[in-house]
Amino acid sequence: MEHEDLIVKITCDVGGTFTDVVVSDQEGRMAVGKALTSPPHLIKGLIAAIGVAAEQFSTSTRELLERCELFVYSTTQATNAILERKTAKTALLVTEGFPDILVRREGGSMLPYDFSRQFPEPYVPRRLTYEVDERISSEGKVVKPLDQDSVLKVIESLRVNEVETVAVSLLWSTANGEHEIAVGKAIEQELGIPFTLSHELNPIVREYRRASGTAIDASLKVLMPGHLEEIENGLAEAGFQGELLAATSVGGALPMQDLIDRPIYAAKSGPSLAPVAGSLYTEELESDDLIVCDTGGTSFDISLVRSGAIVATRETWLGGMFTGHLTGLSSVDVRSIGAGGGSIAWVDPGGLLRVGPESAGADPGPACYGKGGTKPTVTDAAVVLGYLDPDDFLGGRMKLDLEAAQAVLAGLAGELGIDVPRAAEAVMTVANEHMVDAIKEITINQGIDPRRSGIVAGGGAAGLGIAAIAAELGCARVMLPRTAGALSAFGGQFSDILIEEGRSAWCSTDDFQPEIVNEALSEIDLALRPFADRLAENGVTEQRIERTVEARYPHQVWTLDIPLEVDRFENETQVADLVESFHQNHERVFAVSEPGQSVEIVHVVGRLVAEPLKPRRGAARLTTAAEQAGPRIRKAHFRNHGELEVEVRSGSNLEPGAAFDGPLLVTEPTTTIVVPPGWRVSVTPIGDYLLEAK
């Protein structure tokens, strides 16, 4: 097509191994670009991936970017920095007498009888936690005025200890934030370093969550601004002049500057876009409950679409549940395990085969990448089994070293006392079992029967084992989008701009005081107004505000998010409707309810939803001449079947309605779909792949 008429939207997902890019034009045609991630300067891999997509539009990288109206950037940088403890040196300031909020934590244990496990370390070391002489009551009254001298002494200690950023989380600042504001001003005047105030970031009652989220946000305020500005400047130098958004953990996007101001929303932002893509397929899979699997090079991410809606949570742990760190903020409920194409296979001292959680990453990567990797990975096993063509990886742009893969698998086979093909099969089987266990945890443990759910699979390694995973779960239908190799980036094409504000507002429905909730709703609307106005000025006029309350039965620990059907509470009927909605949701989630029982509201949330440019679904995917090879025959190994001759078909040659029985391999530039014996693959009317058990 003529690039002069090109109007595009670009979305990306910068992962630990690969950088994925999806580009759509005004007619809805899409191109997928994938390149190795290039730490520490991620812009290099991003520009390379954009270049791959630009080739499919018969244009240059600069010309493509110059005509791009909207760019959505997503990265795992924040999550990786937190998990690898590569964040800034952070101090925590708390009310005098409460220095152990992060030490004592909140929650239980997934292994309550394992006494060999060490109690987790706090996010901010105890030695960098400082007490401030002040006290606010739960009603917002000043019980003890802020001691300015104590603040100055703390600031001097921060200077001596070369602290880079500060989290301020004072008791009951949610009821009255004047002391936190005064401390923030002192830090700004005396030190000039970044800081986060808890009542501004997340004004909730629960102390640990508020302090933990504040500490995480503050710790990212040195790393993320520099990183995001590097991306912004790099794209501008490459020709981009449009609107730049950044993906967030709530499954949407924010203007880049807003994410710089609240970097905690970048944590788990990449995986949050996969269920956005998955939610598009409820009709095709004939199910409102979908399991969304995103298999990358480093991790396997699972999320849910339940009753047609993406499942969100405020129990967002970075790291293991109860052992990691809690953000305290709403996010898409994504569970991640260290199982992906780059996961390393090894034999433990007891002689058992293990896969992951360590990954070979992008550098050196799996041995078959030919970059010096010496440890066997899932990708090496896939090459040895014949699933991946060494001469046709990434659409032929990257050659794989079969001999190197065989060599590292031979070493593993020697340790296990089996031949190389069986060792490769074992690696794939163990990796798949890890993924099955992770899916069961997020489905069966939450009352969802995977046998009655559809699966939407994506990620570069998704097609290698998803049929085997589905068979183990008893799920007979799996959808792999044409853009499955870049599922999160594909989801970004259909994501909204989401900006969330919350306020604490405790009241009980047995003595309901509407002014408390209505005041919180008014404050939220006022806080969201500047965002709405700025978006409208930039042409994003399709906007709405979604309001919810966090509610619980009296004295419960856990809350449920209940959507509000009204802007303000004006009569008793509206309150009764809220109570009934809570009972119904409680029954659905916990399989029990207490009709007649009062309900406590503890928090009010408002979410501004703005709909930017989105592509039309179903338009043809652009391809290059290298992708249009005819069918060919290759040998591949299948569990319980041994080595078989299988047909290999290029996805670019398959028209809607085409259907084939396994064994079969379908190649796409960014993934390979393994169709084992007993399964059938068909091309849907809009060009995606539907796997069905026969």
Side-chain angles (χ1 to χ4, degrees):
M1 65 177 293
E2 294 295 329
H3 65 72
E4 284 81 6
D5 299 325
L6 192 63
I7 301 173
V8 299
K9 178 178 181 179
I10 301 177
T11 53
C12 76
D13 178 29
V14 181
T17 304
F18 284 100
T19 293
D20 301 332
V21 165
V22 175
V23 180
S24 64
D25 68 5
Q26 69 271 32
E27 297 181 11
R29 291 177 291 186
M30 290 190 182
V32 178
K34 186 181 281 279
L36 285 171
T37 297
S38 54
H41 300 294
L42 302 183
I43 187 66
K44 181 180 178 181
L46 177 57
I47 295 297
I50 295 172
V52 174
E55 291 177 8
Q56 298 166 51
F57 280 98
S58 301
T59 188
S60 68
T61 301
R62 175 167 289 277
E63 289 169 334
L64 185 70
L65 285 170
E66 285 176 348
R67 288 164 176 80
C68 176
E69 286 192 341
L70 185 65
F71 195 113
V72 180
Y73 176 73
S74 173
T75 179
T76 59
Q77 186 84 344
T79 306
N80 293 343
I82 293 165
L83 297 179
E84 296 170 11
R85 305 309 299 265
K86 294 181 179 179
T87 54
K89 188 175 184 179
T90 308
L92 173 65
L93 274 56
V94 298
T95 298
E96 187 177 43
F98 296 85
D100 294 319
I101 296 172
L102 296 187
V103 175
R104 296 185 181 277
R105 305 169 65 85
E106 172 191 314
S109 172
M110 301 301 291
L111 299 168
Y113 300 108
D114 183 358
F115 300 109
S116 65
R117 294 166 63 88
Q118 294 293 319
F119 194 81
E121 293 292 324
Y123 191 78
V124 175
R126 182 66 173 76
R127 61 184 175 79
L128 291 178
T129 300
Y130 298 87
E131 299 176 64
V132 176
D133 189 6
E134 64 85 42
R135 187 65 181 269
I136 299 284
S137 73
S138 59
E139 291 80 23
K141 297 179 181 179
V142 177
V143 176
K144 189 175 186 180
L146 178 67
D147 187 333
Q148 294 289 349
D149 289 338
S150 76
V151 174
L152 293 176
K153 288 179 182 179
V154 167
I155 288 176
E156 182 57 32
S157 183
L158 299 179
R159 193 196 316 275
V160 170
N161 286 303
E162 299 181 339
V163 166
E164 298 174 280
T165 180
V166 183
V168 184
S169 185
L170 303 181
L171 197 65
W172 293 114
S173 60
T174 54
N176 181 348
E178 66 178 65
H179 286 179
E180 281 195 353
I181 293 172
V183 171
K185 289 181 178 178
I187 293 171
E188 185 175 22
Q189 293 172 358
E190 300 295 329
L191 292 178
I193 60 176
F195 61 88
T196 299
L197 306 182
S198 71
H199 79 281
E200 293 180 349
L201 177 71
N202 191 17
I204 58 175
V205 172
R206 299 170 84 171
E207 200 67 19
Y208 169 71
R209 297 174 178 226
R210 181 159 55 88
S212 177
T214 303
I216 292 170
D217 185 76
S219 73
L220 295 170
K221 282 194 168 176
V222 175
L223 168 72
M224 290 306 292
H227 164 71
L228 295 174
E229 287 170 5
E230 179 185 7
I231 296 297
E232 190 171 16
N233 294 336
L235 289 173
E237 290 175 7
F240 176 67
Q241 302 170 13
E243 181 75 12
L244 180 59
L245 304 178
T248 70
S249 56
V250 296
L254 278 175
M256 185 68 86
Q257 185 56 52
D258 294 314
L259 189 67
I260 289 174
D261 294 338
R262 302 181 182 188
I264 190 173
Y265 283 101
K268 283 198 171 183
S269 61
S272 73
L273 296 179
V276 175
S279 65
L280 302 173
Y281 292 95
T282 54
E283 184 175 343
E284 287 93 331
L285 286 169
E286 300 175 356
S287 175
D288 287 338
D289 292 339
L290 301 180
I291 303 164
V292 183
C293 305
D294 191 0
T295 315
T298 305
S299 66
F300 176 69
D301 303 320
I302 319 103
S303 51
L304 294 176
V305 176
R306 191 168 188 176
S307 299
I310 297 171
V311 176
T313 180
R314 288 189 179 272
E315 305 296 317
T316 306
W317 293 89
L318 303 176
M321 182 175 288
F322 305 132
T323 60
H325 308 289
L326 190 62
T327 67
L329 293 165
S330 177
S331 72
V332 174
D333 190 4
V334 179
R335 312 291 174 86
S336 302
I337 62 171
S343 294
I344 294 172
W346 52 286
V347 179
D348 70 14
L352 294 177
L353 175 64
R354 308 282 189 179
V355 178
E358 184 183 357
S359 172
D363 188 13
C368 62
Y369 285 7
K371 297 174 62 179
T374 58
K375 297 178 180 179
T377 67
V378 174
T379 300
D380 294 314
V383 174
V384 170
L385 291 173
Y387 299 160
L388 300 178
D389 186 344
D391 297 321
D392 192 31
F393 190 66
L394 290 184
R397 291 182 293 104
M398 180 176 175
K399 303 297 182 183
L400 298 181
D401 190 335
L402 174 60
E403 292 183 358
Q406 291 173 328
V408 293
L409 263 299
L412 186 71
E415 290 187 76
L416 295 171
I418 56 179
D419 61 25
V420 172
R422 285 188 62 196
E425 285 183 12
V427 171
M428 294 293 296
T429 299
V430 172
N432 289 344
E433 285 299 324
H434 287 329
M435 298 175 190
V436 168
D437 289 343
I439 293 172
K440 287 181 177 179
E441 181 179 329
I442 199 174
T443 55
I444 295 174
N445 291 0
Q446 296 190 41
I448 296 175
D449 186 349
R451 296 172 299 180
R452 299 180 181 179
S453 305
I455 294 178
V456 179
L464 299 178
I466 195 62
I469 291 169
E472 184 72 19
L473 293 167
C475 184
R477 292 165 63 85
V478 179
M479 183 69 71
L480 289 104
R482 271 282 174 105
T483 53
L487 188 66
S488 289
F490 175 53
Q493 291 282 329
F494 298 90
S495 63
D496 294 323
I497 298 174
L498 302 178
I499 301 169
E500 191 171 280
E501 287 285 341
R503 296 291 185 273
S504 291
W506 188 94
C507 65
S508 175
T509 58
D510 62 0
D511 183 24
F512 191 70
Q513 297 174 295
E515 65 275 8
I516 295 177
V517 179
N518 289 343
E519 182 180 355
L521 289 168
S522 296
E523 290 179 3
I524 289 170
D525 287 352
L526 188 63
L528 292 175
R529 178 50 51 193
F531 296 105
D533 292 342
R534 191 164 73 248
L535 290 172
E537 290 173 1
N538 291 328
V540 185
T541 56
E542 292 291 329
Q543 302 180 9
R544 67 182 184 275
I545 295 179
E546 298 175 347
R547 300 172 177 86
T548 60
V549 296
E550 286 186 50
R552 66 188 182 190
Y553 286 127
H555 312 302
Q556 273 189 326
V557 173
W558 309 115
T559 61
L560 290 176
D561 288 344
I562 308 300
L564 289 182
E565 303 297 332
V566 297
D567 295 344
R568 301 290 187 273
F569 285 96
E570 297 176 351
N571 55 60
E572 294 183 0
T573 300
Q574 294 170 339
V575 179
D577 290 342
L578 172 64
V579 172
E580 180 59 27
S581 178
F582 178 84
H583 292 324
Q584 293 175 0
N585 277 272
H586 202 280
E587 178 74 31
R588 177 180 61 82
V589 175
F590 298 112
V592 65
S593 62
E594 298 182 43
Q597 177 65 273
S598 63
V599 174
E600 292 179 346
I601 296 172
V602 298
H603 196 64
V604 181
V605 176
R607 176 181 288 183
L608 175 66
V609 182
E611 298 187 21
L613 174 73
K614 294 181 182 179
R616 177 172 58 87
R617 289 188 66 200
R621 190 210 66 192
L622 296 172
T623 60
T624 63
E627 298 174 49
Q628 298 170 356
R632 54 196 187 279
I633 301 296
R634 190 161 79 234
K635 291 182 178 181
H637 292 262
F638 293 89
R639 188 181 181 188
N640 300 325
H641 294 276
E643 186 178 73
L644 302 174
E645 284 193 345
V646 298
E647 192 173 49
V648 182
R649 287 185 171 269
S650 173
S652 62
N653 295 330
L654 301 182
E655 297 294 330
F660 304 91
D661 292 335
L664 176 76
L665 300 176
V666 179
T667 61
E668 286 282 342
T670 56
T671 190
T672 294
I673 302 171
V674 178
V675 187
W679 284 77
R680 180 178 179 83
V681 63
S682 57
V683 183
T684 70
I686 62 173
D688 298 316
Y689 299 106
L690 178 63
L691 283 174
E692 296 178 283
K694 294 193 297 182

